[in-house]
Amino acid sequence: MKMLASLRRSALPAAIMLLVLLMVVPIPAAMLDIFFVLNIMISLAVLMVALNAQKPLDFSAFPSVLLFATLFRLGLNVASTRVVLVHGHEGEAAAGHVIEAFGTFVIGGDYVVGIFVFAIIVIINLIVVTKGAGRVSEVSARFTLDALPGKQMAIDADLNAGLITPEQAKARRIEVSTEADFYGSMDGSSKFVKGDAIAGLLILAANVVGGLILGPVSHGLTIGAAAQAYTMLAIGDALVAQVPALLLSIAAASIVTRVSSEKDLAGQIGAQFGSARTWTPVAVILALLGLMPGMPHFVILPIAAGAGFAAWKLKQIAARPVIAEAAPVADEAADPSTIDWDDVTEGMMVNLDIGYGLVPLVDERRGAPLMARITGVRRQLSKELGFVVPQVRVRDDINLAPYTYRLMLGGVCVGEDQVSPDEMLALDTGQGYGMLQGKTAKDPTFGLDATWIAPGDADAATGQGYLVVDSGTVIATHLNHALGANSADLLGADEVQALLDGLKERNPQLVAALCPQPLSVTTLTTVLKSLLAEGIALKEFRRIAAAIATAGQRSHEAHEIVELIRPDLGPLIIQKLAGVREPLRVMTLEGGLEQLLGQAMRADPSRHVIEPELGRRIVDALQSAAQPLIAEAKPFALVVQPAIRVAIRKLVRSILPDTPVMSFFEVPEDKAVEVVAVIGGATHQPTALAA
């Protein structure tokens, strides 16, 4: 293997040296024949690779291959020009048998015919194939570069939603970057083919003019004899070069006009033309044309019959019944009157119910794209929350509308919406411009304005600044958000015991000091669920367990333990709101208002209830102050006295569910604080100070 890798590394430098030798060192006609055949072989191989590629990036080395193949052919032109001009007077075989064959057999030995044949090939190559491929390359490069920021945003969105892992995100970024580089390179590589065709014309003219001068001057030939000898060889040389050039032009055109598909180009074209509805009218029209007077009946009618036979055969294939897999035979001995516990109990904590129109998203024969995304959501959420998120069972529900899905958590619906499986959802994240053709909608996760568009319009929408996702991603993102918002309901005694078992392997003494004394698994579960409900993940379970073990010496009540450990967990809360060198943005309550609320809490400490009218005014003031920060995506915390923290949290969790409500003791002393608003008093301008 090492020897093979070494040979691959040395092959390209050797080829470059060979190219230089072709241009500088005279070579015999026999070697020239070998190199011409090798040139044709390389061009055919490049064309076959291009036709068998499923998507353009499968042949990402094509621009470089095109460059070196063009240089190799131009080097051969230099070498053959030297042989033609030096030995052209010796006869038709003076420049090798390949040039002789193209100069005599292909064009019939008439150099006038050869000039016209060569001109037609050059026109086809230069005007039709190369120009069209160059235009497609230019447009593809422009659209790819315009869509690059949107594709990067889509990757970041999938990564943040947990749909892909960091490794998958890195691979997708590399693919997007490679795609942009590929189309940019193809835009420039098309100029190689165009320049090669022009060079072929100039080289032909140089050979003809040089032969007409050298024949009479150096070898005593007449003008007619010189024209016959040198022009035949020059045209043969030009045709030998232009045939591989045309093959490479076709390869370039097929690469840049490809649409990504699971099939190669032959399979893609065959699948799209393999319909009886295509060939039936073709056969009928040809038959009518063949029956007209004056038409070549014996040519058109057999072809019409062939088209009719193809239509009949394709119709038979389409009518064949699809053989379904045999269903498992039910146990004949089973009593149909027996009812099992599985028939009346729900075995899974998390369920995703879908209408029958969404079944293709979970069909294994189609790759089950939704199942892979759900697995990614569970993996990412498990890393973020610190425990294994339960499995999600997907089932079809005939009671749902065809394109409706419903998220169930512990028997409770936590989300429901509709998606279009055959369309893409273009989200307006604030950077989109222009109108999109499609059905308007709302993003089920964040409530953003969106439009369902055709898959073919996805690249254009991305270029306009919209974030485009498929229906599976929409459902998976909604699932990720719903599970994250209800993470406390995902944690049970079994998950807590698994956390303890994992911690016991590393810190057995800490677990012994925590459970079952002084706290039971039930109490510990209640404490951890309370932390999750307020957005504190369990990733740092060792630190959380140590704080709980210390607090458990002072109280065995779950709600009291939560308040006792929160000051120790303050840095974990704050690190999601502000960077190490960034001040923590906070809102506070006016001093008189805090005293009033504190007195109410001391009068009835068990209820944590605020008078309704006062609560409404506090909520309105909080919403007004928080709106600018939410619009700018700036996280902040509401910091209050410890005695009223629980009551304020209950009050604001419905309007600001993602905003932490902290006590003054939970903010580290060395953390800079920026007061952005004072609720109940005059709003302060942002000011930096130490906590």
Side-chain angles (χ1 to χ4, degrees):
M1 294 298 294
K2 291 183 178 179
M3 183 178 295
L4 182 60
S6 177
L7 288 174
R8 287 176 178 174
R9 286 194 297 269
S10 60
L12 188 57
I16 298 298
M17 291 300 299
L18 177 62
L19 179 63
V20 175
L21 291 176
L22 284 175
M23 293 184 177
V24 177
V25 179
I27 60 174
M31 289 294 297
L32 201 60
D33 287 342
I34 295 174
F35 285 135
F36 275 130
V37 175
L38 284 176
N39 185 26
I40 297 174
M41 181 192 72
I42 293 172
S43 301
L44 287 171
V46 171
L47 178 60
M48 292 302 105
V49 174
L51 294 179
N52 291 321
Q54 294 183 355
K55 55 180 183 291
L57 286 185
D58 288 345
F59 199 3
S60 58
F62 183 76
S64 299
V65 172
L66 184 61
L67 168 64
F68 291 119
T70 303
L71 292 177
F72 178 52
R73 188 166 56 255
L74 292 176
L76 282 178
N77 282 334
V78 174
S80 61
T81 296
R82 183 186 301 110
V83 173
V84 167
L85 294 179
V86 172
H87 302 286
H89 64 285
E90 298 176 5
E92 295 178 348
H97 295 292
V98 174
I99 292 179
E100 179 187 9
F102 273 82
T104 56
F105 175 74
V106 175
I107 61 176
D110 190 339
Y111 67 85
V112 177
V113 174
I115 291 176
F116 284 103
V117 171
F118 174 75
I120 292 172
I121 292 178
V122 170
I123 290 172
I124 293 173
N125 189 10
L126 183 62
I127 305 300
V128 181
V129 182
T130 303
K131 187 174 182 179
R135 179 58 178 167
V136 173
S137 298
E138 180 183 352
V139 174
S140 299
R142 185 182 306 164
F143 274 102
T144 302
L145 292 175
D146 289 344
L148 187 60
K151 291 181 179 180
Q152 294 286 4
M153 287 175 58
I155 295 172
D156 293 338
D158 288 349
L159 179 61
N160 294 333
L163 304 180
I164 56 176
T165 63
E167 292 76 15
Q168 291 172 326
K170 182 179 180 181
R172 285 177 56 177
R173 289 192 183 98
I174 293 175
E175 182 178 358
V176 168
S177 176
T178 304
E179 183 182 16
D181 293 341
F182 173 80
Y183 283 109
S185 299
M186 284 301 301
D187 186 23
S189 297
S190 61
K191 306 300 188 296
F192 295 150
V193 182
K194 180 179 180 181
D196 181 35
I198 296 174
L201 285 172
L202 298 178
I203 292 172
L204 173 63
N207 284 338
V208 172
V209 172
L212 292 177
I213 295 175
L214 289 174
V217 174
S218 300
H219 306 293
L221 299 178
T222 63
I223 295 293
Q228 177 69 27
Y230 285 97
T231 304
M232 285 292 297
L233 292 177
I235 293 174
D237 177 34
L239 288 175
V240 170
Q242 281 305 307
V243 169
L246 181 60
L247 294 177
L248 285 181
S249 299
I250 296 172
S254 65
I255 280 288
V256 297
T257 56
R258 281 299 312 273
V259 176
S260 297
S261 171
E262 296 179 356
K263 301 177 182 179
D264 57 19
L265 187 59
Q268 191 175 358
I269 294 175
Q272 295 173 5
F273 275 83
S275 172
R277 290 181 298 178
T278 300
W279 294 103
T280 300
V282 170
V284 172
I285 293 173
L286 283 178
L288 293 175
L289 185 65
L291 293 175
M292 289 183 179
M295 289 292 176
H297 312 295
F298 295 105
V299 176
I300 298 178
L301 291 179
I303 297 177
F309 176 78
W312 174 74
K313 197 68 177 176
L314 289 171
K315 188 174 182 179
Q316 276 193 330
I317 294 174
R320 289 177 184 173
V322 179
I323 301 176
E325 295 183 0
V329 180
D331 187 2
E332 296 180 358
D335 185 0
S337 64
T338 302
I339 301 177
D340 191 33
W341 279 106
D342 292 337
D343 298 328
V344 295
T345 59
E346 181 56 71
M348 302 296 289
M349 180 68 178
V350 186
N351 290 279
L352 172 60
D353 299 337
I354 59 176
Y356 67 84
L358 302 181
V359 170
L361 295 178
V362 296
D363 189 352
E364 293 185 356
R365 292 172 297 182
R366 302 189 181 188
L370 180 57
M371 301 306 296
R373 289 181 171 87
I374 291 175
T375 301
V377 167
R378 290 185 58 236
R379 181 183 294 109
Q380 186 65 24
L381 266 181
S382 298
K383 291 180 180 180
E384 292 176 357
L385 297 177
F387 63 93
V388 177
V389 173
Q391 288 186 342
V392 180
R393 186 173 72 174
V394 181
R395 57 188 181 183
D396 60 319
D397 188 344
I398 59 174
N399 296 318
L400 291 177
Y403 303 118
T404 300
Y405 67 91
R406 179 182 296 149
L407 306 176
M408 304 292 293
L409 180 57
V412 178
C413 178
V414 295
E416 184 176 356
D417 215 299
Q418 291 185 344
V419 295
S420 180
D422 298 325
E423 294 180 312
M424 307 285 284
L425 187 64
L427 303 174
D428 185 2
T429 59
Q431 300 179 353
Y433 62 90
M435 298 296 295
L436 298 179
Q437 295 294 328
K439 181 177 63 177
T440 59
K442 286 285 186 181
D443 169 44
T445 305
F446 305 106
L448 299 175
D449 292 332
T451 305
W452 287 104
I453 61 175
D457 298 333
D459 288 341
T462 302
Q464 291 177 238
Y466 289 88
L467 177 60
V468 181
V469 295
D470 58 23
S471 54
T473 302
V474 173
I475 298 176
T477 304
H478 195 182
L479 174 66
N480 178 73
H481 186 267
L483 295 182
N486 298 275
S487 57
D489 295 330
L490 301 175
L491 186 73
D494 293 331
E495 287 78 16
V496 173
Q497 188 60 55
L499 286 171
L500 291 173
D501 293 342
L503 183 62
K504 189 175 182 179
E505 296 178 1
R506 303 182 299 274
N507 303 95
Q509 294 302 318
L510 175 57
V511 175
L514 175 63
C515 188
Q517 293 296 331
L519 302 177
S520 65
V521 174
T522 303
T523 304
L524 181 59
T525 302
T526 304
V527 172
L528 297 179
K529 288 169 72 73
S530 299
L531 295 178
L532 287 171
E534 295 205 39
I536 303 176
L538 307 182
K539 286 195 300 183
E540 301 297 329
F541 184 62
R542 180 184 179 280
R543 179 170 185 164
I544 295 173
I548 295 175
T550 303
Q553 304 299 325
R554 300 170 55 186
S555 174
H556 293 171
E557 297 294 333
H559 67 277
E560 294 180 359
I561 293 174
V562 171
E563 297 306 310
L564 289 172
I565 66 175
R566 284 185 62 90
D568 294 332
L569 305 182
L572 295 180
I573 304 172
I574 290 174
Q575 69 179 358
K576 297 193 301 182
L577 304 174
V580 177
R581 300 180 181 178
E582 182 183 4
L584 173 65
R585 287 178 287 271
V586 301
M587 292 185 187
T588 62
L589 300 182
E590 190 267 335
L593 178 59
E594 281 197 319
Q595 290 181 2
L596 178 62
L597 295 174
Q599 291 174 1
M601 294 305 105
R602 285 191 291 271
D604 190 0
S606 61
R607 296 183 62 190
H608 298 294
V609 176
I610 298 175
E611 192 271 332
E613 181 59 26
L614 177 60
R616 185 188 60 79
R617 286 187 289 169
I618 293 175
V619 166
D620 291 343
L622 276 173
Q623 282 184 311
S624 177
Q627 195 62 38
L629 296 174
I630 295 175
E632 297 178 14
K634 293 182 178 180
F636 62 93
L638 179 60
V639 180
V640 298
Q641 290 182 1
I644 64 173
R645 194 201 72 83
V646 176
I648 295 297
R649 172 60 185 168
K650 291 180 179 180
L651 179 67
V652 304
R653 64 184 174 185
S654 61
I655 61 164
L656 298 173
D658 298 328
T659 300
V661 179
M662 307 173 62
S663 72
F664 294 116
F665 297 144
E666 297 170 25
V667 182
E669 296 180 356
D670 59 348
K671 184 63 178 178
V673 174
E674 179 184 349
V675 180
V676 294
V678 177
I679 307 302
T683 303
H684 289 189
Q685 293 295 326
T687 313
L689 59 149

